[in-house]
Amino acid sequence: MKFALAGNPNCGKTTLFNALTGSTAHVGNWPGVTVDKREGSYRKKGVKIDVVDLPGIYSLSPYTPEEVVSRNFIIDEKPDVIVNVVDATNLERNLYLTTQIMELDRPMIIALNMCDVLAKAKRKVDVKKLADVFGVPVVEISALRGKGLDEMMRVAAKAADGVREGRSVVADAPAIAELVKEAKQRYADAGADNIVFRSIKAVEGDEQEKAKNPRIFELVGMQRNDEVDYEAIVADARYKFITEHCSGIVSGKPQGVKLSKSDKIDKVLTHRIWGIPIFLVIMFAVFHLTFSEDFLYLGAMGAIPSTKTPSVWNDIFGNGAINAPGTILFNLMDIATSSLGELIAGAMPEGVWYSSLVNDGIVSGVFSVLSFIPQILVLFLFLSILEDSGYMARVAFIMDRAFRKFGLSGKSFLPLLMCFGCAVPGIMATKTLEDPKERRMTIMLAPFFSCGAKLPIWAAFGAILFGGQHSDLIVYGMYVLGIVIAIVSAILLKMFVFKGEASPFIMELPEYHRPQFRNTMVHLWQKLKHYLFRAATIIAGSTVVIWFLTNISFSFQFVEDQGDSILGQIAQVFSWLFVPLGFGMGEDGWKFVVAAFSGLIAKEMVVSTLGTFAGMQEDALEVDSDQLLSTALGTLVSGMAGGAPAAFAFMAFNLLSVPCMAAVGAAYGEMRSGKQIWAAIGYWMLVAYVVSALVYWIGTYWWISLILVALIAAAIGIKIYVDKTKKRIAPKNLTHSGD
Ligand code: GDP
Ligand code: MG
């Protein structure tokens, strides 16, 4: 037996699905989290029932991918019962979808969710009346508290045994009654299924119905008056029915009258002016907690004396200052991995080639990635908490106002936000954007957002360049740089490529609530799993390949000087390309070029590649155990020929270039066009190259920034001038020829 959960976004379908099936699907706070359906099974006393979590929808019209997925599933896969999940705290709006689902020839029940919230407000739904109005069973549940679920499944199973014919509450609306009757007749003659549903859709002029039954659609269409907006009439009739029959169905005072706690919080957090600054401060606090080596600024105030004598205590908790929790965990992990590395190195025979492969290749490569896990976990923990509490949905709302100026809507903020975790799901989430222009543009911007895999690069370079004093600022700065470049990019793309207005953005803000421990942990685990998996496969594999390429010459001989190796030779040929970016300069320049190129495969590779190179520079065993990574890597980075500007240029290049092959694959999946994907790849590389060069040159000669400002001002001036002249020349009654 198969039950399908259908309902509005945020009505609690996924929570219900998880409660029924014991799975750990992502419970999201915004539309688009569940674009695809998800299946699991409910087991009780030997009965097994398949449960399908459909994406959240407001109607069964095929305007969004969610609506298409849900509608097709219900009609084509014929679930035994449709469980219409309804948010009882928002009853009338949720019932709009109910009036549509009930038109299908499928058994259905209404699961009245969030009853715990109603009960708290001392309100009650007249269940019997609701069941009478819609002619289907109604069960009160709380998905979150696990209340009423077994009863719900029992009622649903009973409903599955019967047959149900579709009923419409709008068929008798005067303006369409005749038309509906006619359509029903035609569908009946043709022996169609879901006659009531199809008739209403045909009257509405529904595109999908037109594709399905073109003949009937045309016949019905001939009776229609072109002047009349039938869709609007049908929608009105649905609302009218709901207001007439359901207004008194919930007892007690609706909460809307009084400001709820969430509304009060929102007055501050989504303030017109303060919203964005507050968001930036919150984000800074998160980065500070994760990366700072001067957590409470006690060091900056000189409150703690620093000592010269090294001690493990100081290495972990900080010297002359207190490390942030994230940094403390990082230090612990660093000590653990480097001790383990030392153990492995000690156990390997000396002077044989495979010892070098294991120690300098695999161990230093993989361990340098592993040692960043604590900080990644801490950062993601905070982000998950912000997401689960409902705050991130607010940020999308705040951002919508700003995004509009750049031709995007708050809708694209959500996928872009995901890119901070990983660009792959972020790019996939652009599925929810209806406007193809907006979707393409969002994909183009996606890699600029610093993902989890780039984090180790910032953390390592920050620690090396500033001795850890301001690592949090560096990391925060890279994230901000990515955002700034994305904004500038958006402006340019809108100006020259994707012209036009952004689609409207409507989103329901969920109530704030305390994040659920289990949920947060599940999020964390999923992210960690992803990272570990990549460390174990792609990264370990690639470090081996890179080790060989950097230790073997074209004539298959082991080399003394890595410059003679295959990769060294190739990189030296191309490193002149990166001289203008600073990091291609000097004797070690090619190493950074190779690292940057490995980053195009996966960004985790950058640090591990440099780690591999650094490992070969010194005898790892002679270095202090807890500094295996930082010292060797530190020597390499602080010895860059271009100095600190080159290091920053290197970071900028990694921030903005092609994020990884997986992301390219995902982008191709969404764009489905070879031309577009090549354009995107070219664009990312171009932006990375230009910005990286700018970073280097401005870092080296500050006055270049003045020229730059002048050039930008001139460009804007020219653009405004050209637009003005165009307007003057353009004839008045020009018809649109489409673009
Ligand atoms: P979906 O979009 O329909 O899949 O909704 P979700 O399952 O993602 O739930 C949206 C939000 O409502 C989440 O924050 C849930 O924790 C919350 N929620 C779901 N069911 C209940 C419930 O019965 N009671 C309460 N208080 N909250 C719930
Ligand atoms: Mg969901």
Side-chain angles (χ1 to χ4, degrees):
M1 233 183 329
K2 188 173 266 184
F3 295 177
L5 309 180
N8 287 9
N10 277 317
C11 67
K13 293 176 304 300
T14 305
T15 310
L16 178 58
F17 175 81
N18 288 349
L20 290 174
T21 63
S23 59
T24 51
H26 192 123
V27 179
N29 273 320
W30 51 60
V33 171
T34 324
V35 181
D36 261 331
K37 56 183 195 290
R38 198 180 292 113
E39 311 198 11
S41 41
Y42 166 86
R43 285 161 213 274
K44 193 99 192 184
K45 294 181 197 137
V47 201
K48 178 174 163 273
I49 295 171
D50 294 327
V51 182
V52 184
D53 179 22
L54 293 174
I57 49 174
Y58 294 108
S59 87
L60 289 175
S61 324
Y63 289 130
T64 62
E66 290 95 329
E67 286 165 357
V68 174
V69 169
S70 296
R71 171 166 161 174
N72 287 347
F73 184 86
I74 295 174
I75 294 184
D76 300 337
E77 313 260 327
K78 302 199 172 55
D80 295 287
V81 179
I82 304 168
V83 177
N84 178 202
V85 184
V86 164
D87 175 357
T89 64
N90 226 327
L91 191 63
E92 293 190 20
R93 190 182 12 202
N94 275 246
L95 289 174
Y96 181 74
L97 177 67
T98 310
T99 64
Q100 298 185 46
I101 296 179
M102 65 185 279
E103 286 165 0
L104 292 157
D105 297 340
R106 281 281 107 204
M108 75 178 275
I109 67 163
I110 293 177
L112 207 53
N113 193 25
M114 313 247 184
C115 284
D116 55 321
V117 183
L118 271 199
K120 220 177 192 174
K122 304 225 160 44
R123 304 175 68 205
K124 178 110 188 75
V125 179
D126 187 342
V127 175
K128 196 174 162 308
K129 185 168 171 204
L130 192 62
D132 282 347
V133 170
F134 288 93
V136 297
V138 177
V139 189
E140 290 177 288
I141 62 165
S142 166
L144 191 68
R145 313 254 172 265
K147 289 230 176 74
L149 304 190
D150 290 336
E151 165 74 0
M152 181 197 89
M153 289 308 267
R154 203 183 54 74
V155 172
K158 204 170 136 218
D161 288 339
V163 274
R164 202 186 139 266
E165 263 180 31
R167 251 189 63 209
S168 176
V169 301
V170 298
D172 297 332
I176 54 168
E178 274 305 305
L179 218 55
V180 173
K181 213 168 129 199
E182 152 117 20
K184 270 190 192 162
Q185 191 56 51
R186 297 209 183 271
Y187 277 109
D189 291 347
D193 63 344
N194 290 308
I195 290 176
V196 174
F197 176 80
R198 290 190 194 283
S199 303
I200 304 283
K201 287 291 168 239
V203 170
E204 281 181 329
D206 176 273
E207 286 296 322
Q208 213 165 333
E209 190 49 38
K210 181 178 171 185
K212 198 96 176 205
N213 296 304
R215 272 215 29 89
I216 300 177
F217 190 88
E218 200 183 320
L219 289 171
V220 175
M222 286 193 313
Q223 315 288 322
R224 288 196 306 190
N225 179 349
D226 284 345
E227 306 282 296
V228 178
D229 184 349
Y230 288 97
E231 230 186 315
I233 291 180
V234 172
D236 273 352
R238 291 189 199 284
Y239 281 124
K240 212 165 135 233
F241 175 85
I242 294 169
T243 356
E244 254 170 40
H245 293 84
C246 308
S247 46
I249 236 162
V250 190
S251 71
K253 237 199 294 165
Q255 272 182 326
V257 179
K258 217 174 73 194
L259 275 189
S260 71
K261 218 193 249 167
S262 279
D263 292 335
K264 280 183 203 151
I265 300 174
D266 272 344
K267 280 210 144 172
V268 181
L269 290 187
T270 61
H271 189 269
R272 281 187 67 83
I273 298 159
W274 297 114
I276 291 180
I278 290 176
F279 171 62
L280 291 176
V281 169
I282 291 179
M283 289 313 280
F284 179 75
V286 167
F287 284 96
H288 189 67
L289 273 165
T290 315
F291 297 105
S292 177
E293 300 204 350
D294 192 357
F295 179 39
L296 298 170
Y297 293 109
L298 295 176
M301 293 187 288
I304 302 176
S306 61
T307 57
K308 286 262 152 50
T309 39
S311 75
V312 179
W313 180 267
N314 281 349
D315 284 346
I316 296 174
F317 293 100
N319 189 3
I322 299 175
N323 286 336
T327 316
I328 293 173
L329 289 174
F330 169 80
N331 291 336
L332 286 171
M333 186 75 169
D334 195 34
I335 289 177
T337 51
S338 38
S339 316
L340 194 61
E342 221 183 325
L343 262 177
I344 296 174
M348 300 293 287
E350 243 173 87
V352 287
W353 67 270
Y354 58 83
S355 289
S356 161
L357 170 63
V358 171
N359 295 334
D360 304 332
I362 301 173
V363 170
S364 55
V366 173
F367 280 15
S368 53
V369 172
L370 290 185
S371 56
F372 288 100
I373 282 179
Q375 279 176 320
I376 287 177
L377 276 184
V378 173
L379 182 63
F380 285 164
L381 172 70
F382 288 123
L383 293 183
S384 293
I385 290 174
L386 289 178
E387 191 183 320
D388 290 346
S389 69
Y391 178 63
M392 283 307 189
R394 263 76 183 179
V395 177
F397 170 72
I398 301 169
M399 291 295 172
D400 187 56
R401 289 189 294 240
F403 268 44
R404 234 141 248 295
K405 299 193 178 74
F406 312 125
L408 294 170
S409 71
K411 246 186 191 167
S412 28
F413 174 76
L414 306 172
L416 291 178
L417 188 75
M418 288 184 178
C419 291
F420 280 129
C422 174
V424 175
I427 289 173
M428 285 176 170
T430 59
K431 266 196 197 74
T432 50
L433 307 178
E434 291 109 79
D435 180 0
K437 270 193 298 189
E438 198 176 341
R439 194 181 320 139
R440 246 184 96 187
M441 186 151 148
T442 309
I443 295 174
M444 300 279 265
L445 303 181
F448 300 154
F449 294 83
S450 183
C451 72
K454 297 177 189 169
L455 196 53
I457 313 177
W458 319 150
F461 274 64
I464 292 165
L465 291 173
F466 284 84
Q469 278 302 300
H470 300 291
S471 317
D472 56 341
L473 263 182
I474 300 257
V475 178
Y476 183 66
M478 290 315 287
Y479 277 75
V480 172
L481 176 67
I483 296 172
V484 170
I485 298 295
I487 291 174
V488 174
S489 250
I491 295 174
L492 291 177
L493 286 174
K494 179 177 156 69
M495 245 187 212
F496 298 110
V497 190
F498 306 113
K499 295 169 192 162
E501 288 301 311
S503 60
F505 175 56
I506 307 161
M507 190 179 69
E508 235 174 287
L509 294 180
E511 299 266 304
Y512 283 103
H513 54 89
R514 199 174 309 140
Q516 281 173 274
F517 179 75
R518 180 163 159 246
N519 243 331
T520 309
M521 287 303 130
V522 167
H523 284 182
L524 264 186
W525 169 238
Q526 279 165 349
K527 280 168 184 149
L528 178 68
K529 207 168 58 180
H530 179 73
Y531 194 79
L532 283 176
F533 177 75
R534 281 166 65 112
T537 54
I538 306 176
I539 297 158
S542 316
T543 46
V544 171
V545 173
I546 288 195
W547 184 87
F548 273 106
L549 292 179
T550 50
N551 278 278
I552 293 179
S553 70
F554 273 112
S555 50
F556 296 104
Q557 300 286 317
F558 275 99
V559 294
E560 282 292 310
D561 179 1
Q562 300 145 38
D564 300 330
S565 67
I566 296 181
L567 207 53
Q569 293 286 315
I570 297 177
Q572 273 159 26
V573 171
F574 286 105
S575 56
W576 61 270
L577 267 174
F578 295 87
V579 170
L581 312 190
F583 64 83
M585 289 198 306
E587 211 175 289
D588 285 339
W590 66 274
K591 294 177 183 168
F592 290 92
V593 174
V594 173
F597 270 96
S598 67
L600 305 182
I601 302 168
K603 285 285 177 275
E604 293 94 335
M605 291 286 302
V606 176
V607 172
S608 69
T609 304
L610 286 178
T612 313
F613 286 142
M616 283 182 292
Q617 265 195 340
E618 293 165 48
D619 188 347
L621 282 178
E622 283 174 16
V623 184
D624 251 347
S625 68
D626 57 317
Q627 291 169 341
L628 178 72
L629 168 75
S630 53
T631 308
L633 196 59
T635 319
L636 185 63
V637 172
S638 51
M640 284 178 91
F648 280 114
F650 179 73
M651 287 197 270
F653 189 84
N654 282 301
L655 172 70
L656 305 170
S657 58
V658 171
C660 64
M661 284 306 131
V664 171
Y668 181 72
E670 298 310 317
M671 289 175 156
R672 294 250 158 260
S673 143
K675 218 170 84 187
Q676 286 183 17
I677 192 73
W678 281 112
I681 291 176
Y683 181 72
W684 296 332
M685 296 312 287
L686 180 74
V687 170
Y689 195 87
V690 171
V691 174
S692 173
L694 283 177
V695 167
Y696 176 63
W697 286 97
I698 291 174
T700 315
Y701 309 103
W702 65 268
W703 47 263
I704 290 182
S705 53
L706 295 183
I707 300 180
L708 203 71
V709 170
L711 279 177
I712 292 174
I716 294 175
I718 292 172
K719 163 87 181 157
I720 292 174
Y721 177 75
V722 169
D723 279 358
K724 256 192 186 158
T725 16
K726 243 197 229 153
K727 231 178 248 163
R728 225 177 296 140
I729 300 168
K732 261 196 184 136
N733 295 322
L734 200 69
T735 46
H736 253 287
S737 56
D739 63 25

